[in-house]
Amino acid sequence: MTEGKSMPRHIAIIMDGNGRWAKERGLPRRAGHRAGAESVRECVEACKEMGVEYMTLYAFSSENWSRPLAEITALMALLERFLEEKAEELMRQDVKLAAIGHLERLPKRTRAKLEKAIQRTSGNKSLTLVLALSYGSREEIVEAARALATDAVAGKIDPAKIDNAMFASRLFTAGIPDPDLLIRTSGELRVSNFLLWQISYSEIVIVKKFWPDFRQADLFEAAQEYSRRHRRFGGL
Ligand code: IPE
Ligand code: IPE
Ligand code: MG
């Protein structure tokens, strides 16, 4: 598939179903997470091919901290491995890495590796790969409201001037355009606290496959489905 005018500029993905993928095979959940890394690689390639500018991946939610410690540890170890092994590839592909979420809650070593990879790829231009880590949209919105209220009380901003743009500038995603296309794998029909503000007018595609089975062809298909949609934004 080649770049077209109705291609999404920003694709956001809720990468779901790793645990069930592993369970079906009698494997531990972490094996599903590991297999999911290959899907990430393929999706980066597919986005590059389509000329997509941003891809945001929901990798770890605020709520995922409630999972058993062993699973959290395995996920963080995988993330570290991904950051170490993929940094070179991201450089080759001209992909810039970014992250949204409460990164300070990540283990120190994970965060250090994340920041190193972000720093290293900061000059890249073709695709921005945004990892949502320790991310929760309600917290993000509440914190933006709190920051604006604090500035208003301090007399730094006029509450009457708070508008959509000013609010969006206080979110983790400040400067990133809203997703055009939101994909969730594993067939679940929910958004699980992901980018609630930002997906107001995103086109949603639900794919039944578990995340480790989601390949380039599936992303192309979702983009094609997107290009057939008629976005109205409340108009006609
Ligand atoms: C998605 O797969 C990855 C993360 C949430 C970190 P899950 O771990 O949620 O797998 P399922 O949904 O239980 O199958
Ligand atoms: C959403 O998946 C979070 C990520 C993909 C990181 P979950 O598996 O955590 O969501 P629920 O529990 O099914 O809503
Ligand atoms: Mg899940």
Side-chain angles (χ1 to χ4, degrees):
M1 182 186 284
T2 48
E3 192 175 342
K5 67 173 176 10
S6 56
M7 276 300 117
R9 186 176 175 206
H10 181 176
I11 300 179
I13 309 182
I14 302 175
M15 311 184 287
D16 197 24
N18 295 352
R20 279 164 284 171
W21 181 92
K23 194 170 177 214
E24 269 187 357
R25 288 160 178 76
L27 298 167
R29 290 179 62 84
R30 66 173 184 281
H33 298 312
R34 200 180 312 128
E38 176 56 23
S39 304
V40 171
R41 206 187 63 75
E42 290 213 5
C43 287
V44 169
E45 294 262 339
C47 278
K48 282 216 56 179
E49 206 170 307
M50 290 188 283
V52 170
E53 289 172 53
Y54 296 87
M55 177 166 76
T56 300
L57 300 177
Y58 204 7
F60 194 84
S61 74
S62 309
E63 289 73 23
N64 290 149
W65 290 117
S66 68
R67 293 193 179 189
L69 187 59
E71 182 167 351
I72 295 174
T73 309
L75 278 165
M76 294 302 151
L78 263 171
L79 173 60
E80 288 177 25
R81 212 167 83 187
F82 175 86
L83 293 166
E84 273 181 349
E85 290 176 1
K86 299 287 183 230
E88 199 56 51
E89 201 172 320
L90 296 179
M91 286 309 291
R92 238 190 351 263
Q93 296 168 309
D94 195 31
V95 175
K96 176 177 171 172
L97 190 70
I100 54 170
H102 275 290
L103 309 181
E104 73 285 356
R105 288 189 203 152
L106 298 175
K108 242 195 186 130
R109 198 177 58 186
T110 314
R111 195 178 165 194
K113 290 187 176 160
L114 176 67
E115 274 164 7
K116 194 171 157 202
I118 289 175
Q119 180 62 35
R120 184 162 175 217
T121 60
S122 61
N124 293 348
K125 301 237 168 339
S126 72
L127 166 73
T128 301
L129 172 62
V130 185
L131 299 180
L133 292 164
S134 191
Y135 175 86
S137 190
R138 282 189 169 178
E139 292 169 327
E140 177 186 40
I141 290 169
V142 166
E143 281 157 25
R146 193 187 299 126
L148 288 168
T150 305
D151 281 359
V153 168
K156 290 187 200 157
I157 56 166
D158 174 1
K161 297 228 163 76
I162 298 173
D163 58 8
N164 286 352
M166 194 191 286
F167 198 89
S169 75
R170 302 298 179 110
L171 300 171
F172 286 128
T173 50
I176 300 174
D178 289 341
D180 301 294
L181 170 62
L182 172 71
I183 300 170
R184 180 167 187 147
T185 59
S186 92
E188 306 287 0
L189 301 173
R190 54 178 176 264
V191 289
S192 303
N193 206 13
F194 188 46
L195 301 175
L196 302 180
W197 168 281
Q198 298 87 341
I199 60 168
S200 294
Y201 273 103
S202 304
E203 294 297 326
I204 301 175
V205 171
I206 303 291
V207 179
K208 290 227 168 80
K209 287 182 181 177
F210 295 136
W211 176 248
D213 289 328
F214 190 86
R215 291 289 118 122
Q216 276 202 26
D218 301 297
L219 194 68
F220 289 142
E221 205 175 296
Q224 241 155 19
E225 161 76 29
Y226 168 87
S227 69
R228 287 192 293 268
R229 302 267 180 99
H230 178 207
R231 301 183 80 184
R232 282 191 291 269
F233 299 98
L236 289 176

